[in-house]
């Protein structure tokens, strides 16, 4: 394969000249994209020098699937066909709008012919995979209806569950909501040696929430309010099914959770209080199993859970619930309900009253799916005490121990921003340029979320950091969420954000929360899994997360953004340029 980085860089430069010329003859959506400065590039073609071990044809198309009793639901979905490679590469989920599960081996060379059979542009991103920038599904690579983009990459990730989903600028949320998403599992030798439950004993669990109208059609039309909070459904779907139930044998299972919801955050807990045993996260297996009373799962995050039903008699029923928690929505939403209880469930539920159709408030207590033991067996694999080897980064490994790369979250009713700026193509700031083959300390923090006392300190710190990366690097004051609002309105809009970084996986090294937010934080903190390799991290209001991320292998543009998809589409997204 010719150097993809080079090619993408050339296109990157090339595009700036062509946009305006062609504008007059373009359909309206293209012009809309142009207005946002997005280029229209020629879709990537297959490279004859690349010899794939696996070749797949993937399409995004419209369809209709029976989800609720009665009328079928119109959806957008992925379909796939295996052209060559191992037979178990694709697994369809029965009558489900989700794309087939794609199973790849570390080291495989993969070619995917992705065809857009929708009526609007799209592009596919392999969330969690580290692939060359040209293969990463950046919105600049959107393809028109009828076009095909050919992806070619080698799988360098370790064993893990990942997601493929659309990534077109400003319409990602809608496309995912209408059904475009699928699981992508990577296997490797380290994992194979553990002989973890597999086949029927390894169950993918994709959690999503949706709203349907009386004709069983999906409702999606976020108003300003939904954009700010994220769009929430009033019904939970597991692997695309309502009222999901799994029949199991009395033995150990491997449950592969993926939060594919647009905005909803879950607090997973077993109905009988059994602790949750976590063996892996976004980037694969932990070093050893860890046990939690409950686990938080934000949009874009994954969890690998060991669930042992050994000794449970036939007929046993167990429910996985989302347990009560507070503080992930702006206080405004919690206050405006009138019951006033900050952080308390009363306040939360009352606050949600303003959301009209919302019957299933985020942070309330509701069932997700049921497990029913239908077969007794005395045989079960044992939970390995050691799962994998992870080299842990320390501050000694980073290029910038005293100047973390900032990811500043600022919140206002008009915009949710990162580093003070809304997404714009080709708008890379000096502190967003990162030298290839470095390991960087990064810090995600709220510019206004800490409460009254935090404002100026935060701001000073932010400016200090920016200054440290170059004098012109300071975000526009206005963009920072309105300095004048800090501690007052600004704090009122602070909420939780799942922040996702493309490219290499990172390690979380610390999480600290402002005292003002300690009460609500206490309702989630024992379920935050912070070990292992991550690509998405839930950042609570008032919380500061430090992590260490390597920037290896590929030059080019890699995104970072909020995985609350309404926020992403609102522009809570930026690019890093690795050079
Ligand atoms: Cu799951 Cu940039 O996305
Ligand atoms: Cu967000």
């Amino acid at each position: 394969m010719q150097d993809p980085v080079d090619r993408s860089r050339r296109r990157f430069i090339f595009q700036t000249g062509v946009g305006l010329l062609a504008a007059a003859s373009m359909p309206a959506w293209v012009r809309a994209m142009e207005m946002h400065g997005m280029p229209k590039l020629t879709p990537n073609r297959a490279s004859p020098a690349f010899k794939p071990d696996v070749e797949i044809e993937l399409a995004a198309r419209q369809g209709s699937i029976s989800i609720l009793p009665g009328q079928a639901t119109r959806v957008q979905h992925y379909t796939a066909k295996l052209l060559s490679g191992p037979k178990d590469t694709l697994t369809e989920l029965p009558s489900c709008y989700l794309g087939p599960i794609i199973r790849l081996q570390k080291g495989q060379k993969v070619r995917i012919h992705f065809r857009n059979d929708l009526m609007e542009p799209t592009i596919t991103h392999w969330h969690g995979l580290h692939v060359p920038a040209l293969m990463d599904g950046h919105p600049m690579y959107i393809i028109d209806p009828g076009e095909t983009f050919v992806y070619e990459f080698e799988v360098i990730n370790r064993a893990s569950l990942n997601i493929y989903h659309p990534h077109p600028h400003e319409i990602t949320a809608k496309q995912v909501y209408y059904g475009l998403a699928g699981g992508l599992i990577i296997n490797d030798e380290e994992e194979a040696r553990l002989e973890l439950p597999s086949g029927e004993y390894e169950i993918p669990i994709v959690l999503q929430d949706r709203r349907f109208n009386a004709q069983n059609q999906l409702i999606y039309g976020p108003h300003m309010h939904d954009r700010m909070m994220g769009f929430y459904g009033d019904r939970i779907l597991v692997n695309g099914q309502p009222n999901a139930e799994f029949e199991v044998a009395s033995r150990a299972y491997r449950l592969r959770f993926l939060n594919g919801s647009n905005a909803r955050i879950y607090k997973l807990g077993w109905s009988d209080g059994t602790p949750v045993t976590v063996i892996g996260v976004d980037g694969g297996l932990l070093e050893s199993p860890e046990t939690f009373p409950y686990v938080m799962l934000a949009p874009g995050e994954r969890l690998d859970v060991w669930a042992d039903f050994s000794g449970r008699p036939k007929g046993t029923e167990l429910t996985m619930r989302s347990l009560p928690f507070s503080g992930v929505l702006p206080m405004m939403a919690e206050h405006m309900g009138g019951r006033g209880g900050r952080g308390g469930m009363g306040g939360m539920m009352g606050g949600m009253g303003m959301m009209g159709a919302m019957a299933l408030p985020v942070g309330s207590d509701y069932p997700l799916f049921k497990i029913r033991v239908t077969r007794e067996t005395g045989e079960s694999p044992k939970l390995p005490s050691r799962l994998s080897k992870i080299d842990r980064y320390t501050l000694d490994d980073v290029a910038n121990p005293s100047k973390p790369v900032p990811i500043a979250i600022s919140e206002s009713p008009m915009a949710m921003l990162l580093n003070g700026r809304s997404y714009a193509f080709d708008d890379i700031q000096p502190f967003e340029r990162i030298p290839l083959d470095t390991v960087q300390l990064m810090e995600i923090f709220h510019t206004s979320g800490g409460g009254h006392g935090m404002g100026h300190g935060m701001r000073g710190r932010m400016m200090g950091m920016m200054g440290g990366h170059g004098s012109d690097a300071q975000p526009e004051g206005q963009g920072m969420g309105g300095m004048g609002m800090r501690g007052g309105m600004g704090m009122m809009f602070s909420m939780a954000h799942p922040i996702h970084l493309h490219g290499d996986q990172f390690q979380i090294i610390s999480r600290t929360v402002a005292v003002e937010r300690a009460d609500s934080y206490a309702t989630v903190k024992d379920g935050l899994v912070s070990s292992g390799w991550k690509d998405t991290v839930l950042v609570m209001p008032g919380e500061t997360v430090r992590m260490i991320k390597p920037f290896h292998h590929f030059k080019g543009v890699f995104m970072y953004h909020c995985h609350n998809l309404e926020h992403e589409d609102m522009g809570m997204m930026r690019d890093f340029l690795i050079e």
Side-chain angles (χ1 to χ4, degrees):
M1 178 162 78
Q2 69 203 96
D3 184 355
V5 173
D6 222 59
R7 191 141 116 237
S8 83
R9 291 275 293 166
R10 238 179 294 132
R11 291 167 146 221
F12 196 91
I13 294 155
F14 172 74
Q15 68 81 22
T16 48
V18 285
L20 292 170
L21 265 180
S25 58
M26 284 173 180
W29 61 259
V30 177
R31 283 197 299 275
M33 291 286 174
E34 286 293 322
M35 275 169 53
H36 291 101
M38 296 304 289
K40 178 64 188 99
L41 306 174
T42 312
N44 189 52
R45 301 223 167 88
S47 135
F50 184 88
K51 301 278 173 258
D53 304 306
V54 186
E55 194 160 2
I56 297 168
E57 206 174 83
L58 182 72
R61 49 158 45 121
Q62 320 209 80
S64 118
I65 296 248
S66 188
I67 301 172
L68 303 176
Q71 215 170 314
T73 304
R74 283 186 299 278
V75 296
Q76 295 181 332
H77 64 148
Y78 286 113
T79 58
K81 202 167 98 195
L82 183 66
L83 301 179
S84 72
K87 296 230 165 11
D88 67 349
T89 301
L90 299 177
T91 313
E92 301 282 346
L93 291 163
S95 66
C96 178
Y97 55 81
L98 291 167
I101 291 180
I102 302 176
R103 190 178 285 272
L104 302 173
Q105 304 293 324
K106 182 175 181 175
Q108 266 176 343
K109 289 207 170 109
V110 185
R111 177 183 285 152
I112 300 172
H113 305 259
F114 172 59
R115 199 176 61 249
N116 178 3
D117 284 339
L118 303 172
M119 313 269 275
E120 59 190 21
T122 192
I123 191 68
T124 302
H125 166 57
W126 322 98
H127 177 133
L129 264 57
H130 191 28
V131 296
L134 172 62
M135 307 300 168
D136 198 45
H138 188 285
M140 75 171 119
Y141 299 120
I142 51 161
I143 53 171
D144 293 349
E147 286 187 323
T148 296
F149 187 104
V150 181
Y151 294 89
E152 289 169 339
F153 56 84
E154 180 178 333
V155 178
I156 60 173
N157 286 67
R158 57 204 293 268
S160 51
L161 168 61
N162 303 281
I163 319 165
Y164 59 102
H165 68 71
H167 219 305
H169 188 36
E170 296 179 330
I171 47 174
T172 291
K174 187 191 77 165
Q175 292 189 356
V176 171
Y177 187 85
Y178 280 107
L180 286 165
L184 195 163
I185 291 178
I186 293 174
N187 295 121
D188 67 11
E189 281 166 17
E190 184 187 48
E191 177 198 43
R193 278 196 293 273
L194 296 170
E195 298 186 346
L196 297 170
S198 62
E200 63 171 300
Y201 305 115
E202 179 186 21
I203 306 177
I205 297 182
V206 181
L207 299 175
Q208 294 177 309
D209 59 336
R210 294 292 185 267
R211 270 185 231 168
F212 294 87
N213 69 15
Q215 287 73 47
N216 286 351
Q217 301 311 309
L218 290 163
I219 300 174
Y220 187 73
H223 299 298
M224 196 55 215
H225 181 81
D226 299 312
R227 274 189 242 253
M228 214 190 103
M229 309 277 185
F231 192 81
Y232 297 90
D234 53 10
R235 171 192 281 280
I236 301 298
L237 302 179
V238 176
N239 297 342
Q241 314 290 337
N243 313 313
E245 292 190 8
F246 298 96
E247 298 191 342
V248 302
S250 59
R251 53 159 280 155
Y253 279 75
R254 185 178 183 192
L255 307 182
R256 315 281 316 251
F257 287 90
L258 183 170
N259 184 348
S261 312
N262 280 33
R264 183 175 292 270
I265 297 167
Y266 302 90
K267 177 176 173 176
L268 307 174
W270 293 110
S271 52
D272 67 348
T274 303
V276 183
T277 302
V278 175
I279 60 171
V281 289
D282 308 345
L285 294 168
L286 302 179
E287 291 188 279
S288 49
E290 293 177 32
T291 313
F292 299 84
Y294 57 84
V295 276
M296 301 304 297
L297 190 64
E301 284 187 308
R302 287 86 74 202
L303 279 170
D304 202 342
V305 169
W306 178 274
D308 195 349
F309 308 113
S310 296
R312 302 215 184 231
K314 186 170 165 177
T316 304
E317 284 191 358
L318 200 60
T319 302
M320 177 57 82
R321 303 188 67 84
S322 187
L323 303 172
F325 59 95
S326 61
V328 303
L329 291 182
M331 269 187 218
M332 179 203 65
E334 299 189 4
H335 279 297
M336 278 172 73
R339 283 184 236 174
R342 171 183 166 193
M345 281 310 296
M348 169 71 92
M349 308 285 279
M352 298 313 292
M354 68 185 276
M355 297 185 79
M358 188 156 165
L360 197 62
V362 61
S364 62
D365 187 2
Y366 51 89
L368 297 173
F369 61 87
K370 205 181 263 179
I371 295 277
R372 195 176 309 120
V373 179
T374 54
R375 187 160 59 85
E376 289 184 25
T377 165
E379 291 188 359
S380 174
K382 291 275 161 300
L383 176 62
S385 58
R386 220 185 138 67
L387 297 164
S388 74
K389 169 126 179 52
I390 293 177
D391 293 321
R392 301 240 190 164
Y393 284 124
T394 69
L395 287 182
D396 292 340
D397 301 312
V398 305
N400 58 338
S402 57
K403 276 184 223 149
V405 176
I407 299 183
I409 295 171
S410 56
E411 298 141 311
S412 82
M414 290 305 135
M416 299 283 178
L417 304 173
L418 291 178
N419 287 326
R421 302 175 84 86
S422 204
Y423 186 76
F425 178 71
D426 212 357
D427 182 39
I428 291 147
Q429 300 300 300
F431 58 90
E432 292 171 322
R433 304 170 79 119
I434 297 185
L436 180 69
D437 273 328
T438 57
V439 177
Q440 301 280 334
L441 175 65
M442 316 195 77
E443 184 174 76
I444 313 177
F445 58 97
H446 298 256
T447 55
S448 56
H452 294 270
M454 296 291 297
H456 297 293
M458 281 277 194
R459 176 176 158 199
R461 194 150 57 95
M462 170 89 193
M463 291 315 184
M465 266 185 230
M466 296 301 185
H469 287 262
S471 56
D472 53 346
Q474 297 187 358
E476 294 148 23
Q478 167 57 21
M480 286 309 294
M483 295 304 178
M485 289 181 16
R486 180 159 303 95
M489 290 282 281
M491 183 187 65
M492 291 295 284
F493 292 102
S494 188
M495 60 180 287
H497 303 273
I499 303 296
H500 170 52
L501 281 70
H502 290 208
D504 270 313
Q505 302 270 328
F506 55 80
Q507 294 176 2
I508 296 170
I509 57 163
S510 73
R511 319 181 71 127
T512 46
V513 75
V515 281
E516 291 88 345
R517 290 295 186 150
D519 289 358
S520 51
Y521 195 65
T523 68
V524 305
K525 75 170 177 14
D526 294 334
L528 299 169
V529 187
S530 299
S531 48
W533 291 102
K534 296 279 293 170
D535 58 53
T536 307
V537 57
L538 174 61
V539 183
M540 291 292 289
E543 189 175 37
T544 299
V545 178
R546 284 193 156 207
M547 65 255 204
I548 297 180
K549 179 174 155 76
F551 291 83
H552 288 149
H553 303 290
F554 310 118
K555 289 188 182 178
V557 175
F558 290 90
M559 313 198 93
Y560 65 105
H561 60 87
C562 183
H563 222 281
N564 175 317
L565 298 181
E566 281 70 37
H567 288 180
E568 175 182 341
D569 280 358
M570 240 178 135
M572 196 175 181
M573 177 164 85
R574 300 287 309 161
D575 290 322
F576 282 122
L577 175 62
I578 321 307
E579 53 188 1

